[in-house]
Amino acid sequence: MSSVSKWGNLAQYDWSVMSPEFIILGVATLLSLLDLFMNKKADRRILAWIGFLGIIVAGYFVVRNTGQNVVSILNDMYRVDGFANAFKLLFLSGVAFVFLISLTYIDESKNIRYSGEYYYLILTALLGAMLMASSSDLITLFVGLELLSISSYILVGTRKQHIHSNESAFKYVISGGIASAITLYGMSFIYGLTGSTNLYVIAERLSSVFYDGFDFLVYFSFFLMFVGFAFKISVVPYHMWAPDVYQGAPTPIAAFLSVVSKAAGFAIVLRVFLISFGSLVSFDMETGQQGSVLVNTLSVYIAIVAAASMIIGNTLAMRQVNIKRMMAYSGIAQAGYLLVPFATLTVLMFEQTMFYLVAYLFANMGAFAIIMLVNRDQKTEDLKSFAGLYHRAPWMAIAMTFFLLSLAGLPITAGFFGKFYIFMSAIVHSSYWLAGIMLATSVVSYYYYFGVIRQMYMRPGKTEAPLKVPASIGLVVLIALVGTVAAGIMPDPVMQYIHHKFPLQQMFQPGGQ
Amino acid sequence: MSGEFIAFFVLALLTIGGAVFMISFTRVVHMVVALAFTFLGIAGLYVLLEAEFVGVTQVLVYSGAISILMLFGIMLTRHDATEVTERKGPFKYIAFAGIAVFFIVAFLGIQSAHWGDQQADFTKQNNVKEIGIQLFTHYVIPFEAVSVLLLVALVGAIILAKKEAEDE
């Protein structure tokens, strides 16, 4: 507040840190205008490339923000810290993959009429996700959440001629609306009790409120918000939408929902609960001991949710014959694994979550790229469409094997170390039952992941004709494969990089302007 | 029993009653009218809480614009549509039981809290001015994000609802 500019108070902030968001917003606007003035019959792929370029430039600016001090704009309405940068890079690379997959998906099959809108709605969804990662105010977080949600509802319904797509978009919008209502109800209690939407102010005031006889309402609001956010990360109790929506959505959008949207959900869960509930301390009257509410009380419930998601996701995935439904249930199980670090809250909680998310990003994006290719070729989403893939496209089959191994958590893939770190956190926290469930459900998951591998290598396909692989899909698979294997061979540099470049402590520091 | 309490009671009854009738009516037009009562009740509650500006906006936007828009939409489409009677099954009772449990928990939780005796006094605040200042200074980022959100909703509504010619 030192110097007053002639432009007023708003000019004193360093708005340049927001350039990734501005670029995405600008490119989305540009695409919508170009789409409007382009010839109706013209090829819309040029829009995808402009969008892709915008994502790369935005990524460059995020990298430039990385490693800097915390910058906070307008009283933490928007803040740049290690946590935000890490998640933003994840979203940007995820959406870049989705764009590359979409290029092939939309090009050949005329199933999406409005491909211009399709591309810039992905960008607005990305903008919402980025806002969710880099704000410490409930209002901005919620607006970001809604921006992501509403864009996704529309994207799911873009296959208009497809009856499944219509149905899944409708289901998604209804369950999403209920989830938003539950989230808002929980937030309204927090606002009513503390009188602020700023997470740091909430953290300050929540302790005194907690001792003034409102402890029940504090717990109540926590559970309401958690159930609401559970919709975005698709864990129990709010997972039922995922299989139907993934099945009906265009395949690249299913990939988007399973990686970017889910990661955005984790960003908001971690940000809201770690800041506002992290410093809440309960006082035991009998023993006179103090303990963190999040660590002692709430973590048990989070662990139960994680365990239930692993069990339900993995067991139901075994019965699926549709590959996209199977990936949806697998995604529910993976979200359960991802909740384990949050439930155990070890020192390396953030690094473990990030590593797992990166491994999940590579494996899932690669897998969905190949699923899209195979399903389009065979004109079916059945598991059997993978039969004989090894003889038709050996490299694709080998890459798919690595992605599935990574999802299953077997060695020389990133997924193995991701699961290993999470497993160790459960052991360190001495949640042996949670670690046991993790192991058992992982073994169960081998069954359905190996089911796909068996189809690819051991079952004869309908045709032996070589599968033509478009360049953009080849690129996605190559990058995902290199990422999966490299992080699987050298996990330590990745962990070190996350630890040094994206320090979690920054999340709790007050920001400069 | 103060006048405020009576007003609150009437408005709350209007709000909840409208919502319940909205669900139980079978004709679409009746549903919209019931919904309009809910919107009006909520506007009244805002006024009771000394948020006149929000109350007036609620009447203008929800009770006025949205209800009328819905009625127009229904009139232009199949306005005599009635809902098919839903199937009865155990699911209905399970859902009802779940909601009942949730209500009891929330009700007891709110009842058991010890709210302070002194009431908040907002009579000296200028509602409209405060909202304006907050919206364009402190909350400018979410405000701009909401404009993107509305644009997305508009585009989405158009591409999902547009009836295109079958020939390409």
Side-chain angles (χ1 to χ4, degrees), chain B residues 8 25 33 42 61 64 70 91 96 111:
Chain B
F8 172 78
F25 278 144
V33 175
I42 292 171
V61 175
M70 278 200 249
F91 182 77
F96 184 78
Q111 286 297 310

Side-chain angles (χ1 to χ4, degrees), chain A residues 292-309:
Chain A
S292 164
V293 172
L294 195 60
V295 175
N296 290 352
T297 320
L298 297 176
S299 67
V300 181
Y301 298 102
I302 300 165
I304 291 171
V305 167
S309 305

Side-chain angles (χ1 to χ4, degrees), chain A residues 340-384:
Chain A
V340 172
F342 181 44
T344 54
L345 279 177
T346 53
V347 189
L348 288 174
M349 186 273 298
F350 179 62
E351 286 82 354
Q352 289 158 347
T353 310
M354 248 7 250
F355 187 92
Y356 200 91
L357 275 172
V358 170
Y360 181 64
L361 166 88
F362 284 132
N364 235 28
M365 281 298 171
F368 267 109
I370 296 175
I371 288 171
M372 194 276 291
L373 195 64
V374 171
N375 286 351
R376 201 191 55 183
D377 181 68
Q378 296 280 312
K379 304 217 167 32
T380 168
E381 291 176 351
D382 203 89
L383 264 179
K384 290 199 175 66

Side-chain angles (χ1 to χ4, degrees), chain A residues 124-125 127-132 138-149 268, chain B residues 145 149:
Chain A
T124 51
L127 182 70
M130 286 163 81
L131 281 178
M132 279 163 78
L138 286 179
I139 290 183
T140 315
L141 288 172
F142 184 74
V143 172
L145 180 74
E146 281 303 288
L147 185 54
L148 170 65
S149 304
I268 197 170
Chain B
L149 179 85

Side-chain angles (χ1 to χ4, degrees), chain A residues 101 105 118 159 246 248-256 324 368-369 371-373 375 381:
Chain A
I101 301 174
Y105 183 79
Y118 173 91
R159 283 205 290 177
Y246 283 27
T251 314
I253 298 306
F256 175 83
K324 275 156 86 181
F368 267 109
I371 288 171
M372 194 276 291
L373 195 64
N375 286 351
E381 291 176 351

Side-chain angles (χ1 to χ4, degrees), chain A residues 25 74-75 77-78 113-114 117 120-121 124 131 139-140 143 146-147 151 154 157 160 197 214 216-217 220 224, chain B residues 102 105-106 109-110 113-115 136-142 145-146 148-149 152 155-156 159-160 162 164 168:
Chain A
L25 179 62
L74 289 167
N75 202 9
M77 272 292 156
Y78 178 89
R113 290 275 175 85
Y114 301 96
E117 283 86 351
Y120 65 78
L121 285 175
T124 51
L131 281 178
I139 290 183
T140 315
V143 172
E146 281 303 288
L147 185 54
S151 307
I154 301 161
K160 278 177 70 176
T197 54
F214 293 103
F216 178 81
L217 286 182
F220 193 56
L224 285 174
Chain B
F102 179 80
V105 170
I110 294 169
H114 309 288
W115 306 100
F136 288 103
T137 56
H138 193 179
Y139 290 96
V140 72
I141 294 173
V146 165
V148 181
L149 179 85
V152 166
V155 170
I159 66 166
L160 289 185
K162 191 178 161 199
E164 60 268 296
E168 260 294 291

